Amino acid sequence: GAVVSQHPSWVICKSGTSVKIECRSLDFQATTMFWYRQFPKQSLMLMATSNEGSKATYEQGVEKDKFLINHASLTLSTLTVTSAHPEDSSFYICSANQQLGDNVLTFGAGSRLTVL
Amino acid sequence: LAKTTQPISMDSYEGQEVNITCSHNNIATNDYITWYQQFPSQGPRFIIQGYKTKVTNEVASLFIPADRKSSTLSLPRVSLSDTAVYYCLVVLSGGYQKVTFGTGTKLQVIP
């Protein structure tokens, strides 16, 4: 079945630094990937839609200069949290559509970001 | 995007059948009903998808009445490992439309 790999699975960084999270579709090409954020005991919140070869589409309230998304190839999207602060600490999850027409998403295992 | 409503939480004993109902009153003609399962600190996992009537796979069954305004996920004989959050989503078929999640149902399986 479709596999989405996400790396790193967890990261701890100091306030003010930037952190990059990678999301790869291992056995299929993904024109579109989605980035979610999830706080403890809450549901997933869609942050942005990552489009291969073009700019990402951000959801309302998500700062595009804060959360940089790059989708340079059909199998890789990256999310960079710039100048991270403690309030950015969260669980970040990417997903991709295998493009079978059913709009079923395959999710990565998630990345736990802790900003000190 | 059709809004979904499902119970916040449910408890069940091991070995019981669990039915989680989701309402989606404004579902559109081209929408499919999709359920995902999420364990703590993991990404969601696809369980089942259906359009109408009944769909069954090796994990669960999905019952959808004729008016499609609700659906029921049925998990047969649950075990402790089925403790998770279950999300009901209504998604437009085809393409790469964004998918938003509702609150989900936290299922706690009790020994």
Side-chain angles (χ1 to χ4, degrees), chain A residues 31-32 34 36 38 42-46 49 59 91 93 97 99 101-110 112, chain B residues 32 34 36 38 40-46 49 87 91-104:
Chain A
T31 305
T32 302
F34 302 94
Y36 293 84
Q38 186 174 35
Q42 294 187 21
S43 183
L44 285 77
M45 185 191 78
L46 180 64
T49 302
E59 295 299 301
F91 191 53
I93 313 169
N97 186 322
Q99 306 172 32
D102 54 10
N103 211 2
V104 170
L105 296 177
T106 301
F107 287 84
R112 175 77 59 192
Chain B
Y32 279 71
T34 310
Y36 290 85
Q38 186 184 27
S41 297
Q42 293 186 29
R45 180 176 75 104
F46 169 79
Q49 183 183 69
Y87 294 97
V91 298
L92 185 63
S93 65
Y96 321 115
Q97 288 79 9
K98 63 183 182 182
V99 174
T100 57
F101 282 70
T103 57

Side-chain angles (χ1 to χ4, degrees), chain A residues 37-58:
Chain A
R37 180 168 56 181
Q38 186 174 35
F39 292 108
K41 300 188 185 303
Q42 294 187 21
S43 183
L44 285 77
M45 185 191 78
L46 180 64
M47 298 176 65
T49 302
S50 173
N51 305 298
E52 187 269 335
S54 65
K55 292 182 179 180
T57 305
Y58 291 83

Side-chain angles (χ1 to χ4, degrees), chain A residues 37-109:
Chain A
R37 180 168 56 181
Q38 186 174 35
F39 292 108
K41 300 188 185 303
Q42 294 187 21
S43 183
L44 285 77
M45 185 191 78
L46 180 64
M47 298 176 65
T49 302
S50 173
N51 305 298
E52 187 269 335
S54 65
K55 292 182 179 180
T57 305
Y58 291 83
E59 295 299 301
Q60 189 173 7
V62 178
E63 302 174 55
K64 60 181 181 181
D65 295 330
K66 173 78 172 175
F67 300 99
L68 300 179
I69 292 173
N70 184 279
H71 195 151
S73 78
L74 286 171
T75 59
L76 175 63
S77 174
T78 60
L79 168 68
T80 300
V81 183
T82 62
S83 186
H85 290 283
E87 58 266 29
D88 298 323
S89 298
S90 188
F91 191 53
Y92 293 87
I93 313 169
C94 71
S95 67
N97 186 322
Q98 201 178 358
Q99 306 172 32
L100 298 179
D102 54 10
N103 211 2
V104 170
L105 296 177
T106 301
F107 287 84

